[in-house]
Amino acid sequence: MPRFVVIGANAAGMSAASVAKRRDPSLDVVVLEQGERISYSACGLPYWIGDEAKGPDALVSVTPEQARRERGLDLRTLTRATRVDPDARVVTTVTPQGREEAVPYDDLLLATGSEPHIPFALEALDGVFALRHIEDAEAIRTWLANERPRRAVIVGGGYVALEMTEALLDRGLEVTLVLRRRRVLGESFDPDMSDPLLEEVERRAGVLVGIAEGVLGEGGRVKAVRTQAGDVPADIVILATGVSARIDLAAQAGCALDHEAIRVDDRMRTSVPRVWAAGDCSTTWHRILQRPIFLPLALAANRQGRVVGENVTGGDARSPGVLATAVTRFFEWEVARTGATELEATVAGLRVASTTIEEVTAAGYMPKHGSMRLKIVAERGTGRLLGAQIVGTRGAGKRIDTLATAIHAGLTAQELENVDLAYAPPFSPVYDPVLIGARLAARQAAR
Amino acid sequence: MPRFVVIGANAAGMSAASVAKRRDPSLDVVVLEQGERISYSACGLPYWIGDEAKGPDALVSVTPEQARRERGLDLRTLTRATRVDPDARVVTTVTPQGREEAVPYDDLLLATGSEPHIPFALEALDGVFALRHIEDAEAIRTWLANERPRRAVIVGGGYVALEMTEALLDRGLEVTLVLRRRRVLGESFDPDMSDPLLEEVERRAGVLVGIAEGVLGEGGRVKAVRTQAGDVPADIVILATGVSARIDLAAQAGCALDHEAIRVDDRMRTSVPRVWAAGDCSTTWHRILQRPIFLPLALAANRQGRVVGENVTGGDARSPGVLATAVTRFFEWEVARTGATELEATVAGLRVASTTIEEVTAAGYMPKHGSMRLKIVAERGTGRLLGAQIVGTRGAGKRIDTLATAIHAGLTAQELENVDLAYAPPFSPVYDPVLIGARLAARQAAR
């Protein structure tokens, strides 16, 4: 019986394992997972910490029991993979009992995910957390419940930092963000689009601009974050400074790397025969930039896993690549992006025309209408849509899907302007903001 | 100085007049309007009646004063056009003073709109209303304020009927809908998609199935609606039984008709030289059905007006046609549609595969997640997307835009399945319902 071994039982790994087993029930599918829980929503953790979402069980989409019984997977939790021998096609594992065990494979998927990127040497202090795994969220919740911290410091300004800011403000803490520079959401947004959000952050929380250099403690507990701009007192510290692909096994196995992640082709093959990679540990193809990027996002991971699941069972699936579409919420605010930013497109050598509009999200005479800023990046000359960014209030964020679809389809701004989008006073002005933006973008690109 | 005469000063007429004057300031643009107000949102009227939206001034996007002063239009309100002589190129008008006046034109736009379709001979009774013009809404508001009606009967089950049901329930009335058959939203939706909404209507209001035959009164006031299923007592009656194109002038001028509306080509030309038509009085090209339809909706009217405005000033604009996209709200419910229904596509001779899913609109562990039913109609064999319908709660409706964009772009279900849509727990499950629907639709169409 041929065997498919998967290392990592979250989005990519479980998608691959489940698809492969469904397509070929005769396949022996072994899933190695170092943790205890599998298939949980890492994206849901901040909302659980903020007591908005239920958890931890509700965050889990498949239990180990279900994986084994309903999906027929040979799932081995609390089992670490420590070595890959691609010539012998064997993975060395350490069982929960600490015993070393060789697991032969015909195909191997590295779905080892990512780990928090810690920007400084970290002293072992209680009250300092990174948020990556469900166990991290549990530890943060326990700390909040038992230690009743008053002052939180969040290092970083990305999606997780903002979501944790909202969560901890909701829990009644004072929050200070430590940012490397006066900007949130990094390079995902052009500054003119992320600045309104930064201002909202500043209205609700403290913001200190300065490089974080370490944490300071007393009696084994954190008491401050040291930054180049001074120390910031803290009863709890969240390090939300991004993640890195977990590539140790891949590197040891001889897989070529790219952007500090595992290099894959569009079938999710690594450079080593019969070794596949998917999810946060691998690169992802950016459809507009036309190059691989490191994009640790859930939807891409799930899709890449499916592609592997098909390909190890005789299929010939291709990863469609991504537009790096993303959305998040910060209190009443919604921000979203897709495709290339103005800067990304320019750096990629494209001739860029960018257009920004401010519009209402419903008819102006409706009391609950929100407002939004929409930026459209198009190719000068052709008008081909390259990217879009949205910042606004209720109803703004998911409009990015319309733009993502148009960009995926290769539409020009002029063509998007002609799409028959839905109008009714509670939902949009007669010309949806997307149409107004498209019209101006078409003109701008034609100049 | 060449002269462009426009009959009707709402969506289509004002768009055409404004665009034409902006493109060619030397053009003499005369706009004839029989009413007093112009450019108001007819779609907003139910929300104003329900005291949700502000009105009447807030519903007006351009005042006569602005039209004249800021846009440079020769706007003549309270002025009826009574005859068109296409050979002499003259419109006969009746001025506010009752004087007949000949207005010569070089180009003429018929933007005469639509009027309520009344399904029976109507006795002149107080308390019986159709809702088309802002004056109708004012009259309804006055009746509600002065007569304090308790029992409302709404004849019809289309968009306006549902919006008026919500408005009058919000104002504290008992509402009974009289439907020709047990169905809402007519042929716009397949019954499996409109039935959940019908059930919601039945939970909140009375529903009587029976053909309405007339209104009964006493002392000049309405007291009941007569139906084939019996009389329904009423202190106020709203006839929301659809609209008909206003085609008298066009017919008199010799314009060819189609679907009881003015036939136009994609440049919005009628069959009579130098006579154009746009908006509710004209036909609209349905991109999927590939035939003209009668679709009295605001966005199409505005766009058609723009096309005329460009074409009478030396442009060569084409109407992009429509997907008959629409959305409405009924209390917590949102319903939306685009493209062809299953029935429409089948009647049009297309080979149809239809797929329906039920999904959540946000991560299932988020407390405020809604749910939605999505139906996708695709072409059997090719998988080409033909249409979609949505019924669900908060956040469901505007997802139709993603489908409209995909359909406009000619995407297959398989291609839509691969689009990188936005995911975050407050906004969607990892795979947005649109993606889940697309995946199943692709499979279904391939069978």
Side-chain angles (χ1 to χ4, degrees):
Chain A
M1 187 153 80
R3 183 187 273 168
F4 176 37
V5 174
V6 175
I7 304 178
N10 266 295
M14 282 296 292
S15 290
S18 305
V19 166
K21 187 70 184 177
R22 192 171 60 231
R23 284 169 50 94
D24 181 1
S26 77
L27 188 67
D28 181 19
V29 180
V30 178
V31 183
L32 307 171
E33 167 58 43
Q34 61 176 9
E36 203 164 356
R37 287 211 187 75
I38 64 167
S39 280
Y40 59 82
S41 170
C43 309
L45 299 177
Y47 305 96
W48 180 38
I49 293 170
D51 266 345
E52 178 178 351
K54 286 167 270 175
D57 292 349
L59 297 172
V60 171
S61 59
V62 185
T63 64
E65 167 102 357
Q66 288 169 326
R68 293 183 187 115
R69 219 158 41 178
E70 294 168 19
R71 302 201 179 178
L73 305 178
D74 180 356
L75 169 69
R76 306 181 189 178
T77 52
L78 296 172
T79 299
R80 277 189 308 125
T82 54
R83 235 184 82 78
V84 174
D85 181 341
D87 297 323
R89 290 194 190 152
V90 168
V91 179
T92 306
T93 66
V94 178
T95 68
Q97 294 74 34
R99 205 160 20 87
E100 213 165 67
E101 196 171 275
V103 180
Y105 67 81
D106 295 283
D107 283 287
L108 173 67
L109 169 61
L110 299 172
T112 47
S114 57
E115 58 200 347
H117 170 75
I118 307 296
F120 40 70
L122 196 57
E123 269 187 84
L125 290 175
D126 290 341
V128 179
F129 304 93
L131 178 62
R132 187 66 201 150
H133 301 290
I134 198 164
E135 293 79 9
D136 301 325
E138 279 170 330
I140 292 170
R141 287 182 58 89
T142 302
W143 185 263
L144 291 174
N146 295 347
E147 307 297 327
R148 308 216 162 260
R150 195 168 54 80
R151 296 161 307 180
V153 173
I154 296 174
V155 183
Y159 294 104
V160 173
L162 296 185
E163 287 156 10
M164 282 305 301
T165 299
E166 179 170 349
L168 295 181
L169 286 170
D170 276 348
R171 300 266 312 226
L173 280 77
E174 289 167 25
V175 177
T176 302
L177 277 92
V178 175
L179 305 177
R180 273 184 306 150
R181 49 187 178 152
R182 205 176 155 277
R183 185 155 166 195
V184 290
L185 299 178
E187 306 290 335
S188 299
F189 288 76
D190 291 314
D192 54 327
M193 295 304 288
S194 55
D195 281 353
L197 190 63
L198 173 60
E199 286 156 23
E200 180 66 16
V201 171
E202 289 176 329
R203 276 190 288 272
R204 294 182 176 266
V207 169
L208 182 84
V209 179
I211 310 259
E213 294 180 319
V215 287
L216 305 174
E218 203 172 72
R221 295 168 63 102
V222 70
K223 64 169 197 178
V225 172
R226 166 150 290 173
T227 81
Q228 287 179 348
D231 295 349
V232 193
D235 309 315
I236 179 172
V237 173
I238 309 286
L239 300 171
T241 38
V243 297
S244 309
R246 298 191 61 209
I247 52 180
D248 293 359
L249 269 182
Q252 175 266 307
C255 297
L257 303 179
D258 192 5
H259 290 79
E260 301 180 59
I262 307 172
R263 193 173 82 196
V264 289
D265 66 10
D266 62 351
R267 291 180 174 86
M268 308 313 293
R269 294 181 296 208
T270 70
S271 62
V272 175
R274 307 304 282 263
V275 178
W276 312 74
D280 290 6
C281 61
S282 72
T283 56
T284 304
W285 184 256
H286 193 300
R287 294 173 66 98
I288 296 298
L289 302 180
Q290 286 286 301
R291 63 171 178 82
I293 60 166
F294 172 61
L295 183 83
L297 291 185
L299 177 57
N302 276 278
R303 280 180 165 158
Q304 292 172 344
R306 294 182 67 87
V307 167
V308 174
E310 291 193 33
N311 288 341
V312 297
T313 50
D316 184 26
R318 313 290 174 103
S319 165
V322 296
L323 296 170
T325 310
V327 63
T328 193
R329 185 197 72 186
F330 184 71
F331 292 95
E332 298 304 306
W333 288 74
E334 302 180 1
V335 292
R337 55 95 67 215
T338 190
T341 61
E342 185 176 359
L343 180 65
E344 285 171 338
T346 305
V347 168
L350 293 158
R351 296 173 61 226
V352 170
S354 99
T355 309
T356 304
I357 60 155
E358 306 264 355
E359 259 302 329
V360 287
T361 56
Y365 50 80
M366 296 297 280
K368 289 183 198 152
H369 77 259
S371 63
M372 63 184 269
R373 182 183 292 184
L374 166 65
K375 178 169 183 168
I376 294 182
V377 179
E379 188 174 47
R380 191 171 292 285
T382 66
R384 180 171 64 108
L385 293 165
L386 301 174
Q389 298 158 61
I390 289 170
V391 54
T393 56
R394 202 164 67 124
K398 264 299 225 177
R399 278 177 159 93
I400 205 72
D401 285 352
T402 302
L403 289 141
T405 305
I407 293 170
H408 184 104
L411 294 193
T412 62
Q414 171 81 53
E415 283 163 328
L416 177 58
E417 181 193 341
N418 282 333
V419 177
D420 191 12
L421 300 186
Y423 159 61
F427 297 94
S428 134
V430 176
Y431 286 101
D432 190 273
V434 170
L435 300 176
I436 297 172
R439 181 191 301 161
L440 294 184
R443 272 195 221 153
Q444 196 72 24
R447 263 183 206 149
Chain B
M1 188 153 82
R3 181 187 273 170
F4 176 37
V5 173
V6 174
I7 304 178
N10 267 295
M14 282 297 290
S15 289
S18 304
V19 167
K21 187 69 184 178
R22 191 170 61 231
R23 284 169 51 92
D24 181 0
S26 78
L27 188 67
D28 181 19
V29 180
V30 177
V31 183
L32 307 170
E33 167 58 43
Q34 63 178 6
E36 202 165 358
R37 287 211 187 76
I38 66 168
S39 280
Y40 59 83
S41 169
C43 308
L45 298 177
Y47 305 96
W48 179 39
I49 293 170
D51 267 345
E52 178 179 350
K54 287 165 270 175
D57 292 349
L59 297 172
V60 171
S61 59
V62 185
T63 64
E65 168 102 356
Q66 288 168 325
R68 292 182 187 116
R69 219 158 40 179
E70 296 168 19
R71 303 201 178 179
L73 306 177
D74 180 357
L75 170 69
R76 307 181 189 178
T77 52
L78 297 172
T79 299
R80 279 189 308 124
T82 54
R83 235 184 81 78
V84 173
D85 181 340
D87 298 322
R89 290 196 193 152
V90 168
V91 180
T92 307
T93 66
V94 178
T95 68
Q97 294 74 33
R99 208 160 17 89
E100 212 164 70
E101 194 171 278
V103 180
Y105 66 81
D106 295 284
D107 283 288
L108 173 68
L109 169 61
L110 300 172
T112 46
S114 58
E115 59 200 346
H117 170 76
I118 306 295
F120 41 70
L122 196 57
E123 268 187 86
L125 289 175
D126 290 340
V128 179
F129 304 93
L131 178 61
R132 187 68 201 148
H133 301 289
I134 199 163
E135 293 79 8
D136 300 325
E138 279 170 330
I140 292 170
R141 286 181 59 89
T142 302
W143 185 262
L144 291 173
N146 295 349
E147 307 297 327
R148 309 214 161 262
R150 196 168 57 79
R151 297 162 306 180
V153 173
I154 296 175
V155 182
Y159 295 104
V160 173
L162 296 184
E163 289 157 8
M164 283 304 301
T165 299
E166 180 171 349
L168 295 181
L169 285 170
D170 277 348
R171 301 265 314 224
L173 281 75
E174 289 167 25
V175 177
T176 302
L177 278 91
V178 174
L179 304 177
R180 271 183 308 149
R181 49 187 178 151
R182 205 177 154 276
R183 186 158 168 193
V184 288
L185 299 178
E187 305 291 335
S188 300
F189 288 76
D190 291 314
D192 54 327
M193 295 302 290
S194 56
D195 281 352
L197 190 65
L198 174 61
E199 287 156 23
E200 179 67 17
V201 171
E202 288 175 329
R203 276 190 288 273
R204 295 183 176 267
V207 170
L208 182 84
V209 178
I211 309 261
E213 294 181 319
V215 286
L216 305 173
E218 202 172 72
R221 296 167 62 102
V222 69
K223 62 168 200 177
V225 172
R226 166 150 290 172
T227 82
Q228 287 180 348
D231 295 349
V232 194
D235 308 314
I236 179 173
V237 173
I238 309 286
L239 301 172
T241 38
V243 296
S244 310
R246 297 190 61 210
I247 50 178
D248 292 0
L249 268 183
Q252 174 266 308
C255 298
L257 302 179
D258 191 5
H259 290 78
E260 301 180 61
I262 307 172
R263 193 173 81 197
V264 288
D265 65 11
D266 61 352
R267 292 181 174 84
M268 308 312 295
R269 295 183 294 209
T270 70
S271 63
V272 175
R274 308 302 283 264
V275 178
W276 312 75
D280 290 6
C281 61
S282 72
T283 56
T284 304
W285 184 257
H286 193 299
R287 293 173 66 97
I288 296 297
L289 302 180
Q290 287 285 302
R291 62 172 178 82
I293 61 167
F294 173 61
L295 182 83
L297 291 184
L299 177 57
N302 277 277
R303 282 180 163 157
Q304 292 172 343
R306 295 182 66 86
V307 167
V308 175
E310 292 192 33
N311 288 341
V312 296
T313 50
D316 184 27
R318 313 291 174 102
S319 166
V322 296
L323 297 170
T325 310
V327 63
T328 194
R329 187 197 72 187
F330 184 71
F331 292 96
E332 297 305 306
W333 289 75
E334 302 180 2
V335 293
R337 56 96 65 217
T338 190
T341 62
E342 185 176 357
L343 181 64
E344 285 172 337
T346 305
V347 168
L350 293 158
R351 297 172 60 226
V352 170
S354 100
T355 309
T356 303
I357 61 156
E358 306 264 354
E359 260 301 328
V360 286
T361 56
Y365 50 80
M366 296 298 280
K368 289 184 198 153
H369 77 260
S371 63
M372 63 184 268
R373 181 182 292 183
L374 166 65
K375 179 171 185 169
I376 294 182
V377 179
E379 189 174 45
R380 190 170 292 284
T382 67
R384 181 170 65 106
L385 294 165
L386 302 174
Q389 297 158 62
I390 289 170
V391 55
T393 55
R394 202 166 65 125
K398 263 298 224 176
R399 278 178 159 92
I400 205 71
D401 285 352
T402 302
L403 289 141
T405 305
I407 293 169
H408 183 104
L411 294 193
T412 63
Q414 171 82 51
E415 286 164 325
L416 177 57
E417 182 194 340
N418 282 332
V419 178
D420 191 12
L421 300 186
Y423 158 62
F427 297 95
S428 134
V430 177
Y431 287 100
D432 192 273
V434 170
L435 299 176
I436 297 172
R439 180 192 301 162
L440 295 183
R443 273 194 221 153
Q444 196 73 26
R447 258 179 212 152

